[in-house]
């Protein structure tokens, strides 16, 4: 520990899941590293999310671990902390997760004489925002602000020096050469990520297909569909079949985050749900159009530097009913999503691309 500033020189940072939450930590962590060059951050996360940390600062170490097989239980967590202390001379622990597992690591750290600070999630405010009656419709602190607060409490300065994981530029097209040739000057590239973890955040597939068909029919536009599992691969494959020349599905191809992020950096816009892909696209400075259903930007999960005007949502008294979109719809019809006309979504994409047409939503 630096006695003059009481600033720890080597900090263990914990944030194990989920994808979107880890992605939201990237701008904060990169900024902390650049604003505190004499401090080393050791960011421990799951192996699946390690690939998000592209072009990290020199004083950032990212470690992907398998908690279930290598560090399970109390002993496993103690082993993890002990290994990190031994290898990196850890002086403090920054908990960006705030769950029992990370609280346990923090308790062990304190017993070992290390400083420990944990995220304040604002659960009371989120309950007031999502309850069925007498909602308090006020925006809460963003998760990034809550992450920053953890580092402030450890004595570190945090100014936003982050623009993109690629700085002021874009990734080399060579990184995604297996997906597509480089972008032509006359082309517009649109990414569409129609999936999310919970039903309360997924725009109905039949409506999204209408959006995809309309965007894909625009001259000079190429569409990239982002997905992962077998079911997503099947759905996106059926959408590609109608536009084989200018719609590409990445589902099931397992390129990995570095490749997908490189491709995203060349998009003109990205259409997403309130999902991890929204945050991934934000990491590369792409303008994101996001569709919100059961959740709400007020809960603190907006994409980094994304505009409220690019967030599509219906003004319903029952919204938001959930922080994460994991609760069953009280109405039973998910009108917060199904009630959004696909033409409205398509028109927003066209507006961003600068290709509005006469058949746009709301025109006579």
């Amino acid at each position: 520990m630096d006695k003059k500033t009481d600033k720890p020189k080597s900090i263990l940072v914990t944030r194990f899941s989920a994808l979107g939450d880890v992605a939201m930590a990237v701008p904060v962590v990169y900024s902390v590293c650049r604003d505190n060059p004499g401090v080393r951050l050791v960011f421990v996360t799951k192996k699946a999310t390690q690939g998000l940390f592209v072009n990290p600062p020199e004083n950032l170490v990212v470690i992907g671990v398998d908690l279930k097989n290598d560090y399970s239980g109390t002993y496993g967590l103690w082993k993890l902390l002990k290994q990190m202390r031994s290898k990196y001379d850890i002086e403090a622990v920054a908990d960006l997760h705030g769950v029992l597992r990370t609280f346990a690591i923090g308790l062990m750290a304190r017993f070992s004489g290390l400083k420990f600070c944990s995220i304040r999630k604002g659960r009371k405010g989120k309950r007031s925002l999502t309850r069925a009656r007498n909602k308090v419709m006020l925006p809460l602190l963003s998760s990034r602000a809550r992450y920053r607060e953890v580092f402030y409490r450890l004595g570190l300065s945090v100014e936003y020096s982050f623009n993109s994981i690629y700085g002021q530029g874009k990734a080399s097209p060579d990184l995604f050469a297996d997906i597509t040739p480089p972008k032509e000057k006359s082309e517009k590239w649109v990414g569409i990520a129609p999936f999310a973890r919970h039903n309360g955040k997924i725009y109905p597939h039949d409506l999204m297909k209408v959006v995809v068909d309309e965007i894909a029919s625009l001259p000079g536009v190429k569409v990239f569909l982002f997905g992962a599992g077998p079911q997503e691969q099947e759905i996106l494959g059926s959408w590609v079949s109608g536009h084989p020349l200018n719609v590409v599905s990445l589902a099931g191809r397992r390129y990995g985050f570095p490749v997908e992020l490189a491709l995203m950096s060349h998009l003109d816009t990205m259409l997403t749900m309130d999902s991890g892909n929204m945050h991934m696209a934000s990491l590369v400075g792409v303008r994101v159009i996001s569709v919100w259903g059961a959740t709400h930007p007020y809960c603190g999960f907006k994409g980094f530097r994304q505009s409220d005007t690019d967030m599509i949502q219906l003004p319903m008294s029952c919204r938001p009913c959930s922080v994460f979109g994991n609760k069953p719809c009280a109405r039973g019809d998910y009108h917060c999503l199904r009630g959004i006309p696909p033409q409205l979504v398509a028109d927003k994409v066209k507006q961003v691309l600068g290709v509005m047409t006469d058949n746009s939503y709301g025109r006579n």
Side-chain angles (χ1 to χ4, degrees):
M1 192 84 73
D2 188 327
K3 298 300 182 182
K4 293 182 179 180
T5 63
D6 200 32
K7 180 189 295 186
K9 290 296 185 180
S10 187
I11 302 173
L12 178 66
V13 185
T14 56
R15 176 76 229 194
F16 296 112
S17 63
L19 171 61
D21 293 291
V22 177
M24 280 190 285
V26 172
V28 178
V29 170
Y30 281 35
S31 295
V32 170
C33 286
R34 288 165 181 149
D35 294 338
N36 303 270
V39 177
R40 176 175 57 199
L41 298 189
V42 181
F43 194 103
V44 179
T45 186
K46 288 187 176 181
K47 288 184 177 180
T49 51
Q50 183 179 3
L52 289 172
F53 294 82
V54 175
N55 297 329
E58 292 184 357
N59 54 333
L60 173 63
V61 178
V62 181
I63 300 173
V65 298
D66 185 340
L67 292 174
K68 183 177 180 180
N69 295 314
D70 297 332
Y71 300 102
S72 63
T74 303
Y75 174 74
L77 297 176
W78 168 250
K79 182 174 73 170
L80 175 61
L81 178 62
K82 186 177 179 181
Q83 288 178 353
M84 295 300 104
R85 288 191 68 188
S86 174
K87 187 171 184 178
Y88 297 105
D89 297 321
I90 298 298
E91 297 178 354
V93 176
D95 173 19
L96 305 186
H97 203 157
V99 295
L100 287 176
R101 182 183 288 122
T102 54
F103 287 147
I105 293 174
L107 185 61
M108 296 172 191
R110 281 179 170 163
F111 277 135
S112 302
L114 306 181
K115 191 170 183 179
F116 171 70
C117 287
S118 182
I119 186 173
R120 295 166 177 166
K121 291 188 173 182
R123 290 185 175 91
K124 183 178 179 181
K126 290 173 181 175
R127 285 196 296 269
S128 298
L129 186 58
T130 57
R131 62 195 179 196
R133 297 180 180 178
N134 301 317
K135 292 180 182 293
V136 180
M137 287 299 295
L138 293 173
L140 304 177
L141 277 178
S142 71
S143 289
R144 282 176 294 274
R146 298 182 190 278
Y147 292 158
R148 290 200 307 272
E149 184 186 45
V150 175
F151 292 109
Y152 283 138
R153 286 157 53 206
L154 285 174
L156 277 64
S157 62
V158 190
E159 300 295 334
Y160 264 143
S161 55
F162 182 90
N163 291 299
S164 161
I165 55 177
Y166 303 113
Q168 299 294 334
K170 300 178 181 179
S172 168
D174 294 341
L175 293 173
F176 54 83
D178 289 342
I179 302 175
T180 182
K183 186 179 184 180
E184 300 288 344
K185 290 184 178 181
S186 59
E187 279 187 314
K188 299 283 188 179
W189 283 9
V190 177
I192 299 180
F195 303 103
R197 186 173 182 179
H198 302 294
N199 289 336
K201 299 199 291 186
I202 301 175
Y203 191 54
H205 299 323
D206 58 324
L207 302 184
M208 183 58 84
K209 183 180 184 302
V210 176
V211 177
V212 172
D213 287 341
E214 178 148 356
I215 300 304
S217 67
L218 297 172
V221 171
K222 192 167 189 176
V223 177
F224 298 91
L225 305 176
F226 292 80
Q231 183 180 8
E232 297 178 8
Q233 185 176 355
E234 181 180 352
I235 293 170
L236 298 186
S238 68
W239 295 359
V240 170
S241 63
H243 310 274
L245 298 180
N246 66 325
V247 178
V248 179
S249 172
L250 278 65
R253 299 170 75 172
R254 299 184 180 277
Y255 289 111
F257 291 140
V259 174
E260 292 191 4
L261 287 164
L263 174 62
M264 286 181 186
S265 73
H266 288 259
L267 299 176
D268 292 279
T269 190
M270 181 83 165
L271 172 62
T272 75
M273 309 299 99
D274 168 19
S275 66
N277 277 294
M278 172 180 69
H279 298 293
M280 286 177 61
S282 299
L283 293 181
V284 296
V286 169
R287 184 173 175 179
V288 178
I289 301 167
S290 51
V291 179
W292 298 72
T295 59
H296 197 285
Y298 277 10
C299 291
F301 300 101
K302 288 171 53 176
F304 179 67
R305 291 183 175 169
Q306 298 299 336
S307 170
D308 289 349
T309 59
D310 290 335
M311 299 174 190
I312 300 172
Q313 52 189 327
L314 293 182
M316 297 178 62
S317 61
C318 57
R319 290 189 60 242
C321 62
S322 169
V323 174
F324 305 111
N326 56 338
K327 293 182 179 179
C329 177
R331 288 172 48 120
D333 61 357
Y334 288 104
H335 181 74
C336 58
L337 290 159
R338 185 159 286 280
I340 298 173
Q343 190 64 55
L344 186 152
V345 179
D347 280 355
K348 184 62 183 181
V349 176
K350 289 189 286 184
Q351 177 190 348
V352 172
L353 296 177
V355 292
M356 290 294 284
T357 58
D358 290 339
N359 64 340
S360 298
Y361 183 73
R363 297 198 178 180
N364 294 322

